[in-house]
Amino acid sequence: MSEISEIAIAEPLKVETPLHRFMSDFADNKIALVAFFVLLGIIFIAIFAPVISPTDPYDLAKVSIFDSKLAPGTKSMDEVTFWLGTDTSGRDLLSSIFYGLRISLGVGVLSGVIALCIGSAIGLMAAYYGGYVDTLIMRIVDIQLSFPAILVALILISVLGKGVDKIIIALVLVQWAYYARTVRGTALVERNKEYIEAASCLALSNNRIVFRHLLPNCLPPLIVVATVQTAHAISLEATLSFLGVGLPVTEPSLGLLIANGFNVMLSGLYWVSFFPGIALLITIVSINLVGDQLRDVLNPRLQK
Amino acid sequence: MSVFIIRRLLQSVVVVAVMSLIVFIGVNIVGNPVDMLINPDADQAEIARVIRDLGLDRPVHEQYMFFVKNALQGDLGKSFVFGESALKLIIQRIPATFELAMVALLMAVIIGVPLGVIAGMRPTAISSRIIMTGSILGFSLPTFWVGLMMIMIFAVTLGWLPSTGRGDTVSVLGIEVSFLTVDGLRHMLMPALNLALLKISLVIRLARAGTREAMHQDYVKFARAKGLSETRVIMVHVLKNIMIPVVTVLGLEFGSLIAFSVVTESVFAWPGMGKLLIDAIHNLDRPIIVAYLMIIVLVFVVINLLVDILYSVLDPRVRLKDAGQ
């Protein structure tokens, strides 16, 4: 009995599915693989921050001012070890970083997903209709991309004001153009291929051709752009929050933690801004490494 | 050629007009100008008077025309905090920002090109790998955090360099500059390097790619066959050829340096226009924000226009493609 089930399980594994091949290609680069697992860890921390944090840094009943400005590794009066030290209000820095990752990653991913949907819809529209629609959309994209992201974000923030919703709107408006351009470029190439012609010959509806045939084939470059853009969005949000024009104090992202540390750094409390920065750095670097490897794996021209 | 320039000029005018509309809408329709422009302690009669003076009781399109008319005359309102013309305040801060950006640009070339050439000459050597890892880090590191770490190491721990301000300045042609005094240079070193970091990484990549390509070209083989020393081959023949893309890209990146200086200026308290903008956003000093946005859009539009025109002069395909659209 056991023999049969073993065979039954082992057999399908030998068939090389595209997903399988993709995974083994991806695992070729050991650094990217490590980055991938680090990223998984970060996502885990972000999701389960309230469960795994040693203390709740925003529960005023538990935070004690007597624990403030403790160096990394010191113990509090209740015998809780502050592995990364505490800030000026006596909050455990490690817990603050966990909560900060949750906010930074949340804002970055949410804005990325919205920008991806809007940008790809607009890009598909440009590629599909062509003509004046295409020219107009691509002119807007070109003009927006000729300004650096931080400047566009600052313009939007100074017009929109502060707040979580405002910063997400700003990040979406900064990013949509990258997606639109990528999707349009790929869709224009894919549109002329035989499978689209075949689908048209089958008299499938336009919607079906665009969303079931064209869009899935535009996905590989889109995935690469999405990873890189998410890293950018996280970095941009941190920068804006550091400047004090991003997320409000009630939503302390990593950028805000670093900004808080900046104020006390000159008195030698290096850890308050050092460790949140390291967390931000690890997040961005691991996303970028995964993105780089995805680009190599998903682009057939680069394969040896 | 002139058709191309006229088209581009028109496009630039449209961009500036659209920006002025967005800024106007942002200030006057999304936000409440009465709250922003009037002292909260003012009484009812005072509020009514200011609303009339600012034309806020008129229809929106008339208000916009009024805004445009004033803007064209160089009047973008008075700063609430300083009580001076917002435009004048911004223009006073421009030299500090431009000076910082220029030095950063220079640093990007001086540091980036040699490292890129070394990495390109022997792509598999350990030194090249270290340089390329450094370049990836340069792209990934958040600028503001690197700035903080620099202050922590060089200003707080070692005490070598000052962490804030511009230092001594001297007046050259009526413009205050710091790069001509020792104290000014000491103040400038950290912020300029911080601002340059991203561009150094970019230049390393460009120079490396250029060198790798150039090493297989016939002219390099010929130079070697002639018996020239390796130093001369690299320093004269290869370097000359890789500098073209580097200079082009850096020209394009100058605008982004000015935009990014907002971050660096805030970290190092450098008294440029970026710092002024952030302070203005904190103080809700709307006229300064409007003036900054209009000036920076103008700077960008001018840079993009110049680069486009320069490109079309250098590469006829650009203007032909544009005419064909």
Side-chain angles (χ1 to χ4, degrees):
Chain A
M1 185 61 203
S2 68
E3 220 170 287
I4 296 167
S5 63
E6 254 169 47
I7 293 167
I9 293 165
E11 205 54 35
L13 282 177
K14 285 193 180 139
V15 182
E16 207 188 37
T17 61
L19 184 69
H20 214 135
R21 193 172 60 228
F22 167 75
M23 275 157 52
S24 75
D25 278 354
F26 187 89
D28 276 352
N29 184 338
K30 292 288 171 277
I31 296 174
L33 199 64
V34 171
F36 177 71
F37 284 113
V38 169
L39 193 57
L40 277 188
I42 289 171
I43 295 171
F44 178 84
I45 290 174
I47 295 173
F48 297 103
V51 186
I52 55 174
S53 293
T55 58
D56 181 352
Y58 303 106
D59 182 354
L60 290 177
K62 289 196 185 130
V63 173
S64 160
I65 192 78
F66 295 113
D67 291 333
S68 68
K69 302 181 186 175
L70 292 178
T74 30
K75 281 193 160 96
S76 76
M77 289 177 295
D78 322 333
E79 292 300 303
V80 182
T81 311
F82 297 122
W83 294 109
L84 301 181
T86 57
D87 67 7
T88 45
S89 317
R91 285 187 284 252
D92 173 33
L93 209 55
L94 184 68
S95 311
S96 303
I97 290 174
F98 284 178
Y99 277 79
L101 266 176
R102 189 181 163 87
I103 294 162
S104 287
L105 221 58
V107 169
V109 171
L110 186 64
S111 67
V113 169
I114 300 174
L116 178 102
C117 294
I118 296 175
S120 352
I122 294 175
L124 272 179
M125 211 162 81
Y128 192 80
Y129 289 109
Y132 282 115
V133 180
D134 186 30
T135 313
L136 181 69
I137 291 175
M138 291 329 284
R139 266 291 142 83
I140 295 173
V141 167
D142 282 346
I143 290 171
Q144 191 186 324
L145 292 183
S146 69
F147 292 92
I150 182 132
L151 185 64
V152 177
L154 279 175
I155 291 176
L156 291 166
I157 291 293
S158 47
V159 166
L160 295 170
K162 285 195 223 172
V164 184
D165 50 340
K166 311 279 172 42
I167 192 114
I168 290 177
I169 294 173
L171 289 175
V172 167
L173 288 172
V174 165
Q175 294 179 77
W176 75 274
Y178 294 93
Y179 292 108
R181 192 166 65 172
T182 312
V183 170
R184 176 197 176 255
T186 327
L188 280 181
V189 175
E190 294 291 326
R191 199 178 62 172
N192 297 324
K193 291 196 173 162
E194 280 93 352
Y195 68 89
I196 296 290
E197 207 177 316
S200 319
C201 291
L202 286 171
L204 298 180
S205 72
N206 276 340
N207 274 338
R208 200 181 154 90
I209 294 176
V210 171
F211 289 105
R212 297 292 297 276
H213 297 268
L214 194 56
L215 192 57
N217 283 290
C218 297
L219 276 181
L222 206 54
I223 293 171
V224 176
V225 174
T227 42
V228 176
Q229 279 307 314
T230 307
H232 272 166
I234 292 172
S235 175
L236 190 58
E237 179 274 310
T239 307
L240 291 173
S241 295
F242 170 76
L243 293 175
V245 296
L247 293 173
V249 193
T250 47
E251 305 289 337
S253 73
L254 291 175
L256 207 69
L257 293 182
I258 297 171
N260 288 341
F262 183 36
N263 300 328
V264 294
M265 201 180 62
L266 293 176
S267 31
L269 307 181
Y270 72 91
W271 58 88
V272 189
S273 63
F274 178 73
F275 291 118
I278 292 286
L280 183 64
L281 179 66
I282 294 174
T283 311
I284 295 171
V285 170
S286 58
I287 297 178
N288 279 342
L289 285 172
V290 169
D292 266 6
Q293 179 67 2
L294 279 178
R295 185 181 53 212
D296 292 352
V297 171
L298 291 174
N299 189 345
R301 262 175 295 168
L302 285 177
Q303 280 178 17
K304 293 145 208 159
Chain B
M1 186 66 213
S2 51
V3 175
F4 174 81
I5 292 176
I6 290 168
R7 280 177 66 119
R8 274 283 181 274
L9 255 170
L10 279 177
Q11 190 185 324
S12 307
V13 171
V14 170
V15 171
V16 174
V18 169
M19 271 313 301
S20 75
L21 195 62
I22 292 176
V23 170
F24 174 79
I25 290 172
V27 175
N28 292 283
I29 295 173
V30 178
N32 184 352
V34 178
D35 290 349
M36 289 165 189
L37 299 175
I38 299 172
N39 187 342
D41 298 334
D43 59 18
Q44 209 59 42
E46 171 74 5
I47 291 175
R49 191 185 63 77
V50 179
I51 286 179
R52 208 172 42 249
D53 282 358
L54 292 172
L56 295 176
D57 50 351
R58 285 190 235 151
V60 178
H61 65 272
E62 271 182 39
Q63 285 185 42
Y64 178 63
M65 296 316 291
F66 190 65
F67 168 75
V68 171
K69 205 183 102 201
N70 282 339
L72 286 177
Q73 291 168 346
D75 176 13
L76 290 167
K78 273 187 182 170
S79 159
F80 302 158
V81 178
F82 301 95
E84 278 182 74
S85 155
L87 202 61
K88 201 179 121 203
L89 281 167
I90 299 270
I91 289 171
Q92 278 173 352
R93 301 288 192 102
I94 285 182
T97 299
F98 270 56
E99 186 185 17
L100 192 64
M102 291 299 280
V103 174
L105 208 60
L106 207 67
M107 276 185 169
V109 175
I110 294 173
I111 301 173
V113 172
L115 288 178
V117 171
I118 293 171
M121 276 160 60
R122 276 172 295 146
T124 49
I126 293 177
S127 58
S128 309
R129 283 174 192 273
I130 293 173
I131 291 171
M132 290 322 286
T133 313
S135 144
I136 292 174
L137 270 182
F139 273 115
S140 301
L141 287 165
T143 317
F144 68 96
W145 187 69
V146 179
L148 294 190
M149 293 303 112
M150 283 167 124
I151 291 181
M152 204 180 78
I153 295 169
F154 297 108
V156 179
T157 311
L158 298 171
W160 290 350
L161 294 167
S163 66
T164 55
R166 232 185 135 181
D168 296 339
T169 56
V170 280
S171 185
V172 178
L173 301 172
I175 299 166
E176 296 289 321
V177 292
S178 0
F179 73 93
L180 290 175
T181 62
V182 176
D183 187 49
L185 277 178
R186 273 163 51 85
H187 277 85
M188 195 183 252
L189 191 62
M190 278 204 292
L193 186 64
N194 184 228
L195 190 58
L197 211 62
L198 210 68
K199 303 305 161 203
I200 294 175
S201 309
L202 184 71
V203 172
I204 288 179
R205 296 202 154 199
L206 284 171
R208 174 174 174 268
T211 311
R212 284 187 74 174
E213 207 184 308
M215 294 305 265
H216 298 289
Q217 300 282 321
D218 287 342
Y219 68 84
V220 171
K221 285 181 193 155
F222 183 72
R224 282 193 181 133
K226 234 169 36 168
L228 294 183
S229 70
E230 192 65 20
T231 328
R232 195 174 158 80
V233 173
I234 299 287
M235 295 300 283
V236 178
H237 297 265
V238 172
L239 208 57
K240 245 186 206 170
N241 284 281
I242 63 167
M243 282 315 277
I244 300 166
V246 169
V247 168
T248 320
V249 171
L250 280 183
L252 275 170
E253 294 288 329
F254 185 67
S256 107
L257 275 177
I258 290 175
F260 266 100
S261 69
V262 172
V263 181
T264 303
E265 283 173 12
S266 297
V267 173
F268 293 95
W270 185 264
M273 55 196 248
K275 177 92 173 59
L276 191 64
L277 172 73
I278 297 298
D279 292 345
I281 293 178
H282 283 305
N283 300 331
L284 287 178
D285 198 347
R286 286 275 160 164
I288 294 268
I289 299 175
V290 170
Y292 176 87
L293 294 183
M294 292 319 296
I295 291 265
I296 198 96
V297 167
L298 215 59
V299 168
F300 260 84
V301 164
V302 169
I303 290 177
N304 287 341
L305 185 71
L306 288 179
V307 170
D308 272 353
I309 292 174
L310 220 63
Y311 253 57
S312 77
V313 173
L314 294 173
D315 187 350
R317 280 174 301 178
V318 176
R319 62 171 184 268
L320 290 176
K321 196 182 126 217
D322 195 70
Q325 264 181 7

